[in-house]
Amino acid sequence: MPDLIGTLFDKMIRSITELKASINWGDPSEIVNNWRGYEIYKAKELYFEGNWFEKIFGYGLGKLIPVGVFSELVGVDASEGGITILHNGYYMMLIKCGLTGVLLYALVYLVGIKKMIIRIKNNLDLYRSKLLLGIFVGFLVSTYVTTGIINNRTDFVACFLMGYLLYLPSKDILEITNQQKYKEM
């Protein structure tokens, strides 16, 4: 059991370290050891090579990130010309949907977080509000270290569940509405 915990801890630390994109990418061993960082580096390169339209609206969902022969590290034949999915969801959105897509994605979650904080401060449906707050924050973080909602079916389903929970009238809200109607009579 201690070996399992140590391995899991090392993997978590490694995945965070791997996200650094400021390494000497001329050394193939650095690319292999820091694959996620290399993906980010190549995505940044591609993004800044684009024209203003591509920077604002992206290259489209089918755009390949050119990583050369290193695409075989993730099981993609080098002859395909690149990879379609990055381990960092924000850079993937930046390439696919541009700055507009990243801002809209972040806006949805930040508005949701703000809404849940207000609900928690007002003691409205605390259990559901705290659950949704955790989901919102979790999605923001997981999108940075994994692909996030774009390529993960379970996250996509959780997003629908989150929307349902967010707009389902809570017992507290129904009580407040009923009290207001009672006062008006």
Side-chain angles (χ1 to χ4, degrees), residues 8-115:
L8 185 61
F9 183 73
D10 289 342
K11 188 166 178 69
M12 285 181 356
I13 296 299
R14 182 81 188 128
S15 69
I16 293 168
T17 309
E18 238 185 293
L19 293 173
K20 291 188 296 187
S22 57
I23 294 176
N24 176 12
W25 298 116
D27 181 5
S29 66
E30 286 295 332
I31 293 171
V32 171
N33 290 329
N34 298 293
W35 173 247
R36 291 178 187 204
Y38 184 67
E39 287 179 335
I40 293 169
Y41 168 74
K42 294 305 280 184
K44 281 182 181 178
E45 233 181 33
L46 179 62
Y47 179 74
F48 288 111
E49 287 173 1
N51 60 38
W52 66 270
F53 187 83
E54 291 162 337
K55 287 178 182 173
I56 294 172
F57 297 107
Y59 288 88
L61 297 177
K63 182 64 177 172
L64 298 174
I65 293 86
V67 293
V69 296
F70 298 104
S71 64
E72 294 186 12
L73 290 172
V74 290
V76 177
D77 195 312
S79 65
E80 292 190 29
I83 57 175
T84 57
I85 299 166
L86 299 175
H87 283 89
N88 184 309
Y90 291 108
Y91 281 101
M92 190 163 75
M93 274 188 279
L94 193 61
I95 296 299
K96 309 284 183 175
C97 308
L99 193 56
T100 304
V102 173
L103 291 175
L104 286 173
Y105 182 83
L107 182 67
V108 166
Y109 287 105
L110 293 174
V111 166
I113 288 170
K114 180 182 176 190
K115 192 172 190 175

Side-chain angles (χ1 to χ4, degrees), residues 169-180:
S170 69
K171 184 179 107 179
D172 298 328
I173 293 172
L174 289 173
E175 284 179 18
I176 291 169
T177 305
N178 288 337
Q179 288 174 1
Q180 288 173 345

Side-chain angles (χ1 to χ4, degrees), residues 115-116 118-120 122-126 128-129 132 164-181:
K115 192 172 190 175
M116 291 309 105
I118 290 169
R119 286 175 64 164
I120 290 169
N122 292 321
N123 288 323
L124 293 174
D125 201 6
L126 285 176
R128 186 174 2 159
S129 299
L132 284 169
Y164 175 74
L165 289 172
L166 187 59
Y167 290 101
L168 180 71
S170 69
K171 184 179 107 179
D172 298 328
I173 293 172
L174 289 173
E175 284 179 18
I176 291 169
T177 305
N178 288 337
Q179 288 174 1
Q180 288 173 345
K181 286 181 182 177

